[in-house]
Every structure is written in C-alpha cells, then in structure tokens.
Amino acid sequence: MSRSLINWFKFASPATFYPLAGRVIPFFAAAAVLLLGAGLWTGLAVAPTDAQQGEGYRIIFVHVPASWMSMFIYCVMAFWAALGLAFNTRLSGMMMSALAPTGAMFAFLSLWTGSFWGKPMWGAWWVWDARLTSQLILFFLYLGFIALQAAIDDPRRADKAGAILALVGVVNIPIIYFSVQWWNTLHQGASVSMTKAPSMAHVMLLGMLLMAFGFWAYTITMALMRVRCIILERELTSEWVKRNAME
Amino acid sequence: MTASSITPFRQAVRRDLLLAARHKTEVITALFFFVIVVNLLPLGIGPDPELLRKIAPGALWIGALLATLLGLQRLFAPDHQDGTLEQMALSPQPFTLLVAGKILAHWLVAGLPVVLIAPLLGLQFDLSGRSLWILVLSLLLGTPILSLIGAVGAALTLGVRGSGVLLSLLILPLYIPALIFGAGAVESDLAGLGAEGHLSLLGALLLVCAVFAPWVTTVALRVALE
C-alpha cells in the first residue's frame, strides 16, 4: 500500500515535478506544432468549401476547438482545486494558476473568432445567443479568478481562495448555461440557430479534431512552462532551486 | 434544531442588526443608492411609458444587485479589522451558524428595504398592480440569494488589495441566474405567460444557496483568517 501511495504522490512535490515537466515539455511542444500544422492545413486547404456558408465557415476550425478547450480547462482547474483543498498539495494550486491564463485566452479566442464568424453569417458581430452569452460569462469567471489570485500576496492563501472560487464557478456554470438558454428562448425565439449541417464531411471533422488535439498539446505545454516559472518563483529560497540554478 | 444551537445564530443576527441600527446612515445610503440608480434609467432612456414598463423589471433588479454589492464590502471587513471575526472562528459555537446569522442580518438590512421600496419605484415605471406584486415576490425570493452568494465573495476578498472592485468582478457573473429568473418572472407576467415557473426556479436557487453558501463562506473565511 505504501508503495503505491509513494508512486502517486512522488510528483506532487515541486522539486520532483520541476525536472519532469522540463523533460516532457519538448514532446508536447512538438506535438502541438505538428497537430496544429496538420489541422490548419486540413482545415484551410484540404476541407471542401461549405455549400451554405462558403469559405467563411473555415473559422470553425479554430473557433470550435477553442470553445471546447476554454470549457475543459475550467473543469481541469476545478479538478486541481478540489485536489488541492482535499490533500493540501502545493502543486495543485500552482497547476490551477498556470492553467487560468490559457483558459482565459481560449475563451477570448472563441468569442473573437465567433464574432468574426457571426458578421458574415448572421450579419451581426454579436447576438445574444445562449452559447455566446454563457461563453462571455465563462470569460468573466476566468478574469475574476486571475484577478483574485493576483490580488492576494500570500501564495498559499491565493491558492486556497482561488480553489474555492473555481469550485463555486464550476457548480455555477451549468446553472448559468441553462438560465441563459431559457432567458434567450423566452426573449426572442429561435432567430438564430447554431446547429451545424446534419452531415459534416469527414475531412472537416478530422480537421477539427486535429486542431482540438493540437490545442490540448499547446495547453499542456504552456501550463507546464508556466508552472515551472511559478515553482521557481515560490521555491526561490529552497536548496534544490539554488542547486538547479547553479547548473 | 435545538435551542442551544439556535442561540448563537440569533445572537449573531441581533448583534449585526444592533450595529446597523447604530450606523443608520450606511443603511439609508445604500437604499438611496438603489432609488437613484433606478431613477437615472428613465432619465437616460427617455420617458416613454411603453418602453419604461418593458425595462422596469431589469432596471429594478440591476439596481437591487448594485445596492447589495455596496453593503457586502462591510459584511466581514469591520469585524475582521477589530479581531471580532477571529474570536467568532475560535469560539465554541459553530462558526457556520454565526456566519449564517451575519448573512441573514445583511439581508434584513440591505435586501429587505429594497424589497419594500421596490413597488414605489415600480409605479414610476408604470407597472400595474399584479406585476408589482410579482416584482415584490421575485425580489423577496431573489435578494437573499444576492446576500448569500455575495457573502462567499466578501469572504474570499477579505483583507485583499482593492477588494471592493474585485468583489464585483467575482460576484456579478454569479448573480446572472438570479437576475434572469427574477426579472424574467415580472417580464413573463407582463407578457401574459405567468410567473410561476420563474418564481419556482428562483425559490430552488434560494434553497440551494441557503444550504451551501454559509458553509462555503465559512471555509473561505477560515482561509482568510489563517
């Protein structure tokens, strides 16, 4: 029993995680470059022009995976938050704060590309559609999380307060989503439908999946790079960092 | 609940109400803030009664949201500064009950006056009798939600740099469901759809918040007091 526990928690210590992260970053970075390259090439060059939407639809190769990532990263942050509060591990809080900026970036990217897509398709930069609105609120939640962590000087307190906020946020996301959906249907009927054409060409799906996996690899790379910086910042006085910096 | 466990709760409520009674201006200022914000909207938008009736629920609800925020900063901060909050956390009485008492007192001081004065403002927006009742009912169910969720934010930002602005940034996105259902209740009544669905959802939200928010607030306060 003790053996398996040791294996589980071995990399929960910043001192052992730091070199591990350093070793795996190049692989994820290479995967990100390859997947994003292949995904963009598939999406922009190989995939056929959409019958109804023309060339403008190609934005979805960035837009949809970015939206997926922005929601997924918040869930991952909530996972680290729960882990950090339950086991009081330092690394969980660091992972959480390392993920937040990337999540906010994807939420913003999703909104931005969404409005670029909406202008030619719907004729408006912004529509009070349920998905758009809840994505905007998700972006606000990210900003609130980052602002809270930035405002607290003591890193342990920042981690715990951020963890509580992330968990409260993750409970609220479904409530917000459904409330916005009902609000929207009550207000203005289905003037705009975001549902895709029933049969999506396989090439389009492939391009989207490649982009999604590319974003995953990118997120992991960025989070690990950022967490390495956070570890160095926080453990500046510890022995192993000094040894490491000497090398 | 036994008598011994209700006593600290009641005493926490009583203490905060007493404190509010000694600083009446704070309560009255928040209420006037609500009145002024709501009254600014017609001045900005125009006096057309048709339009005003349409925006009335949203205007009153947003006014209530902002008025609640105003008082929230002072929910824990004075007690934190003079060390009372720490004594509460250390006391043998359950901290969650004391916190719940403080939240209830906050609602009685900041939320209830807003609910009571809302019909008067509703009249300015040309709302009819039934819609006024629904507005009061939705605020009665909704403003406690604002106090409960707000308490979590107040605890998280306790003693933090620029806590006032930060509090609004954290809390306002979480207020959206209450705003939608609360204002939606009046709107759907105006549209002849009936407000029961919205009010039920608002009530459900209130129950969920009443169970979890004091507990989460306590956890956040313990983090802040560490």
Side-chain angles (χ1 to χ4, degrees), chain A:
Chain A
M1 187 205 160
S2 62
R3 191 181 174 79
S4 72
L5 270 183
I6 285 167
N7 283 341
W8 265 106
F9 285 106
K10 182 174 178 201
F11 290 111
S13 150
T16 48
F17 187 76
Y18 182 83
L20 173 78
R23 273 203 301 281
V24 297
I25 281 174
F27 295 103
F28 282 110
V33 170
L34 288 176
L35 284 166
L36 288 178
L40 283 177
W41 183 67
T42 315
L44 299 183
V46 178
T49 307
D50 188 83
Q52 289 150 12
Q53 305 183 356
E55 299 290 350
Y57 92 95
R58 291 183 196 279
I59 280 176
I60 66 158
F61 289 111
V62 177
H63 175 69
V64 174
S67 314
W68 285 345
M69 274 324 285
S70 64
M71 289 180 258
F72 180 66
I73 290 175
Y74 204 92
C75 296
V76 177
M77 272 167 56
F79 165 78
W80 286 117
L83 213 63
L85 285 180
F87 293 109
N88 208 9
T89 44
R90 274 177 301 163
L91 192 62
S92 310
M94 298 183 194
M95 283 304 285
M96 203 170 56
S97 25
L99 280 164
T102 310
M105 188 274 285
F106 275 122
F108 181 71
L109 188 66
S110 145
L111 287 168
W112 194 13
T113 53
S115 90
F116 271 174
W117 182 83
K119 187 62 186 164
M121 302 305 163
W122 299 338
W125 292 109
W126 182 261
V127 177
W128 288 98
D129 174 79
R131 292 198 200 190
L132 270 75
T133 313
S134 39
Q135 186 71 19
L136 183 68
I137 296 164
L138 180 66
F139 181 57
F140 290 155
L141 289 179
Y142 272 120
L143 290 190
F145 177 88
I146 295 171
L148 178 65
Q149 286 225 310
I152 302 176
D153 289 327
D154 174 22
R156 297 305 297 272
R157 193 192 155 186
D159 280 349
K160 283 188 179 165
I164 294 170
L165 183 67
L167 285 175
V168 170
V170 92
V171 171
N172 261 282
I173 281 175
I175 300 177
I176 291 173
Y177 180 76
F178 283 113
S179 63
V180 168
Q181 209 168 17
W182 288 327
W183 162 74
N184 178 270
T185 47
L186 280 173
H187 265 248
Q188 56 176 47
S191 60
V192 178
S193 167
M194 289 260 292
T195 44
K196 304 273 164 357
S199 59
M200 190 192 280
H202 284 305
V203 189
M204 293 186 191
L205 190 64
L206 178 72
M208 220 139 84
L209 284 178
L210 281 173
M211 290 299 290
F213 286 123
F215 278 167
W216 269 52
Y218 168 81
T219 305
I220 296 171
T221 313
M222 291 314 288
L224 289 180
M225 282 167 78
R226 213 173 277 127
V227 89
R228 268 165 69 96
C229 293
I230 295 172
I231 289 174
L232 282 189
E233 269 175 20
R234 293 204 190 163
E235 312 267 301
L236 209 54
T237 49
S238 68
E239 203 50 45
W240 70 269
V241 171
K242 282 184 192 140
R243 245 184 295 122
N244 219 309
M246 291 300 201
E247 280 169 11

Side-chain angles (χ1 to χ4, degrees), chain B residues 1 12 16 34 41 46 58 61 68 78 83 93 110 124 128 132-133 135 140 149 159 167 191 195 205 215 220-221 223:
Chain B
M1 215 182 269
D16 274 26
F34 171 67
L41 282 159
W61 258 90
T68 315
Q93 278 82 26
Q124 289 188 304
S128 69
L132 279 179
W133 274 112
L135 176 72
L140 201 60
I149 298 180
L167 178 65
L205 209 59
W215 177 66
L221 280 176
V223 169

